[in-house]
Each structure stands twice: as C-alpha cells, then as structure tokens.
Amino acid sequence: DYSFHGVIQHVDEAILDADGTMVETTGQCKQGMDINYKGQWGYHPLVISLANTGEPLYVVNRSGNRPSHEYAAWYFDQAIRVCRAAGFLKIHLRGDTDFTQSEHLDRWDQEEDVTLTFGIDASKARSLPGVAAVLTYPEIPRVEYSTAGQSDPIPGLLDSF
C-alpha cells in the first residue's frame, strides 16, 4: 500500500522503469567524469525507479562515456527482489531500446510474476532477406472509434484510438 494525495492505494503490480541520462558538468577534473559521443563532459547515471510512485530505487553514477544499458540488468534483478519482498504480486519492467538486453529477456520472461515492455530496434530485422514486414507500435495506423456512440463531427471525451 502507498499513499497518493493522502489516499491509501493498494497496488498489486510494481512498474519498474530504467533510464539513463547525461548530466553535463563544467568541471574538467572531477573524478569519474568523462566525455560522451556527443562531446559533452559529465556523468551518465542509471536510474531504476518505481513508476507507480516515481521513487528512485537505484541511482548509479557512471562516467559520461558509458552506455545507457550498462549494469541495468543487474539493477533490474535487485529491484525485482526488493519489489517481491515489499509484497508486489506482479512486476513489470520497462525501458527504451537501450535497455532491451536480449540476453536477459528470456530469463525474465520465464519468471511468472515478471512482464516486459522494452523498445526494439527493428532496423536489423527489416534488412534481413525474406522479411516482408516488421510491425512495431509506430507503424500501426491510429483508427479512431467511439465508445460513447457519437464521434462525428467532433470526437468525444470517451473516444479512443
């Protein structure tokens, strides 16, 4: 259970987000700082957070030239243990393309209480001989439909895509 605006909420599912961000700094001699591929000096921390509440579970400071996914699988595993110990029945891992880490997907998918949503770089799949189509979320056309019964000429608040 957690409190949101003073109201106690019970949540069965923990949603864990992974993200890396570049934090620029102007100092040139700070310990652990480095330059990234864009020529920016700074740090590139990894953040694993509980999206349900916005709480950071892990913040790992890394030098600016480190890849986004570095150490993410290990920290996801730690966060899964923490969430199970906290009583969550389901755990959902999320991250962009950098966090897909295919060597870990099958292992996480085999765990009955863990589900995954990661971005995928489909460019390699599209370039394979014999592949006719690769469908990802951005390629799916948005089709408006009404759940309220009236969507023409102006879509209503209950209309969806």
Side-chain angles (χ1 to χ4, degrees), residues 122 125-136 139:
R126 286 188 181 94
S127 67
L128 294 172
V131 173
V134 176
L135 298 177
T136 60
E139 286 94 19

Short mmCIF file of all heavy atoms in Angstrom, two decimals, residues 122 125-136 139:
data_model
loop_
_atom_site.label_atom_id
_atom_site.label_comp_id
_atom_site.label_asym_id
_atom_site.label_seq_id
_atom_site.Cartn_x
_atom_site.Cartn_y
_atom_site.Cartn_z
N ALA A 122 14.14 -2.25 -34.81
CA ALA A 122 13.68 -3.19 -35.84
C ALA A 122 14.44 -3.05 -37.14
O ALA A 122 14.18 -3.79 -38.10
CB ALA A 122 12.18 -2.98 -36.09
N ALA A 125 16.06 -6.33 -38.35
CA ALA A 125 15.06 -7.29 -38.81
C ALA A 125 14.54 -6.92 -40.19
O ALA A 125 14.33 -7.79 -41.04
CB ALA A 125 13.90 -7.37 -37.81
N ARG A 126 14.34 -5.64 -40.44
CA ARG A 126 13.83 -5.19 -41.74
C ARG A 126 14.84 -5.46 -42.86
O ARG A 126 14.45 -5.62 -44.01
CB ARG A 126 13.51 -3.70 -41.70
CG ARG A 126 12.27 -3.38 -40.94
CD ARG A 126 11.89 -1.90 -41.09
NE ARG A 126 10.71 -1.60 -40.32
CZ ARG A 126 10.72 -1.13 -39.09
NH1 ARG A 126 11.86 -0.88 -38.48
NH2 ARG A 126 9.60 -0.91 -38.44
N SER A 127 16.11 -5.48 -42.53
CA SER A 127 17.13 -5.66 -43.56
C SER A 127 17.41 -7.13 -43.88
O SER A 127 18.16 -7.42 -44.82
CB SER A 127 18.43 -4.97 -43.13
OG SER A 127 18.98 -5.62 -42.00
N LEU A 128 16.82 -8.06 -43.15
CA LEU A 128 17.05 -9.48 -43.41
C LEU A 128 16.35 -9.91 -44.70
O LEU A 128 15.22 -9.50 -44.96
CB LEU A 128 16.53 -10.33 -42.25
CG LEU A 128 17.27 -10.17 -40.93
CD1 LEU A 128 16.54 -10.92 -39.82
CD2 LEU A 128 18.70 -10.67 -41.06
N PRO A 129 17.01 -10.75 -45.50
CA PRO A 129 16.36 -11.22 -46.73
C PRO A 129 15.13 -12.07 -46.39
O PRO A 129 15.16 -12.86 -45.44
CB PRO A 129 17.44 -12.06 -47.42
CG PRO A 129 18.54 -12.24 -46.44
CD PRO A 129 18.36 -11.27 -45.33
N GLY A 130 14.07 -11.87 -47.14
CA GLY A 130 12.86 -12.66 -46.95
C GLY A 130 11.88 -12.07 -45.94
O GLY A 130 10.77 -12.57 -45.80
N VAL A 131 12.26 -11.03 -45.23
CA VAL A 131 11.35 -10.40 -44.27
C VAL A 131 10.44 -9.45 -45.03
O VAL A 131 10.89 -8.50 -45.67
CB VAL A 131 12.12 -9.65 -43.16
CG1 VAL A 131 11.17 -8.86 -42.28
CG2 VAL A 131 12.94 -10.63 -42.34
N ALA A 132 9.14 -9.72 -44.98
CA ALA A 132 8.16 -8.91 -45.71
C ALA A 132 7.73 -7.69 -44.90
O ALA A 132 7.49 -6.62 -45.46
CB ALA A 132 6.94 -9.75 -46.07
N ALA A 133 7.61 -7.83 -43.58
CA ALA A 133 7.15 -6.72 -42.76
C ALA A 133 7.58 -6.93 -41.31
O ALA A 133 7.66 -8.05 -40.83
CB ALA A 133 5.64 -6.61 -42.82
N VAL A 134 7.86 -5.84 -40.65
CA VAL A 134 8.12 -5.82 -39.22
C VAL A 134 7.21 -4.75 -38.66
O VAL A 134 7.33 -3.58 -39.01
CB VAL A 134 9.59 -5.50 -38.89
CG1 VAL A 134 9.79 -5.40 -37.39
CG2 VAL A 134 10.52 -6.54 -39.49
N LEU A 135 6.27 -5.15 -37.84
CA LEU A 135 5.31 -4.19 -37.30
C LEU A 135 5.68 -3.82 -35.87
O LEU A 135 5.84 -4.69 -35.02
CB LEU A 135 3.89 -4.78 -37.33
CG LEU A 135 3.34 -5.11 -38.71
CD1 LEU A 135 1.96 -5.74 -38.59
CD2 LEU A 135 3.29 -3.87 -39.58
N THR A 136 5.83 -2.55 -35.66
CA THR A 136 6.07 -2.03 -34.32
C THR A 136 5.02 -0.95 -34.06
O THR A 136 4.34 -0.49 -34.98
CB THR A 136 7.49 -1.45 -34.17
OG1 THR A 136 7.65 -0.38 -35.10
CG2 THR A 136 8.55 -2.51 -34.40
N GLU A 139 4.30 2.02 -36.44
CA GLU A 139 3.76 1.75 -37.78
C GLU A 139 2.28 1.39 -37.79
O GLU A 139 1.67 1.29 -38.84
CB GLU A 139 4.54 0.59 -38.44
CG GLU A 139 5.92 0.99 -38.90
CD GLU A 139 6.97 0.67 -37.85
OE1 GLU A 139 6.72 -0.15 -36.96
OE2 GLU A 139 8.06 1.27 -37.94
#
